Amino acid sequence: MKFIVSSTSLFSHLQAISRVINSKNSLPILDCFLLELHDGTLSMTASDNETTLSTSIEVNEFDGDGRFAVSSRTLLEALKEIPEQPLSFAINPENLEITVQYQNGKYSLMGQNADEYPKPQALGNNAVQLTIPANVLLDGVNRCIFATADDELRPVMNGIYFDITSEDITLVASDGHKLVRNKTYEAHGSEKAAFILPKKPANLLKNLLTKEQGDVQIGFDDRNATFILENYQMVCRLIEGRYPNYNSVIPQNNPHKAVIDRSSLISALRRVSVFSSQASSLIKLNLSTNQMKISAQDIDFSTSAEETLMCQYEGNDMSIGFKSSFLIDILNNIPSTNVVIELADPSRAGVIVPEEQSENEDLLMLLMPMMLND
């Protein structure tokens, strides 16, 4: 079996799918890429046994079909230093010896039997199918992924919840302290359905979608989901379990509303939070007519800071405490110039939304408060 392929095209596709491979694998074959040549198309697959990522490219010339596995680390390191040029691969089917010839030299390495490579799970007959634009899915995953948890006791919180109806799709993530609800009206399902996408495949999707246009085809059943992009295909195991009712924790009536410039608030929080207690990272927001005072103190080291920002606020004076790093994370993931901070009282969650929602979108973020001593 022989074929000739562009070095940079091969390297970029292998690098993209290599992110799925774990540093330590239960099966030695999972340290490898699976390469399959069929009718001039070279398919490449990487897997960690729960998530499988595959892609394909057209080869320039080929002789024969076949499949083999090859060490991912060796192949990537070898291709990384080769500038754009045709690479000629020759594979001996009897002992799986691979010879790669390039402009001024050649590599020799051993392949492995492709039959040992695990096959991805096929979806059941009851699988739900839907289509979502790549940019809409990318925005939703980007805005939610920072709020997912790392909770061994509640694995359902460790992923992004896709809540699908016949009118919209809502992506939700929460770690119990912060919550993101990103609803889009640009895509919908044919019926009510839901699944929980684990954090690792969500991160893989985030990296792949930046290069994609067009639509993403999603299919899922009780256990697995497939994502078919223009250049890549991903099959992953889903998190099984029931996601908590996220709407029940969002306060509906928040009489105190402050409108403030997002970037100014982030800068002020970063400056003031330096002086907060390292154990709690507590910062205090003090709202009064058209101004917000941000303050922090660390009693152990006798340090404190405060800063006052102008904002639109009419209502009773009130103070509320938040963990500064969580609040900065939330503000960094809201795509608008001004944000609205909606509060009910110091013991209830604060709701943060963009002043102007993007078209066909409803984005809401929520942060639980911290107790103030005073």
Side-chain angles (χ1 to χ4, degrees), residues 195-213:
F195 66 92
I196 307 169
L197 180 68
K199 190 183 293 193
K200 181 176 176 179
N203 266 315
L204 292 167
L205 260 185
K206 188 174 107 170
N207 290 320
L208 295 175
L209 286 167
T210 52
K211 310 180 194 78
E212 294 284 320
Q213 272 106 32

Side-chain angles (χ1 to χ4, degrees), residues 63-81:
D63 178 15
D65 289 350
R67 57 204 294 266
F68 61 95
V70 60
S71 163
S72 59
R73 186 173 294 136
T74 307
L75 191 56
L76 279 178
E77 291 295 327
L79 292 176
K80 187 160 67 175
E81 302 303 332

Side-chain angles (χ1 to χ4, degrees), residues 13 16 53-56 132-138 204-217 227-233:
H13 282 75
L53 201 50
S54 52
T55 183
S56 60
I132 185 167
N135 62 315
V136 173
L137 182 58
L138 175 63
L204 292 167
L205 260 185
K206 188 174 107 170
N207 290 320
L208 295 175
L209 286 167
T210 52
K211 310 180 194 78
E212 294 284 320
Q213 272 106 32
D215 289 339
V216 179
Q217 307 288 331
F227 293 79
I228 300 171
L229 289 68
E230 197 176 5
N231 298 307
Y232 297 90
Q233 181 170 342

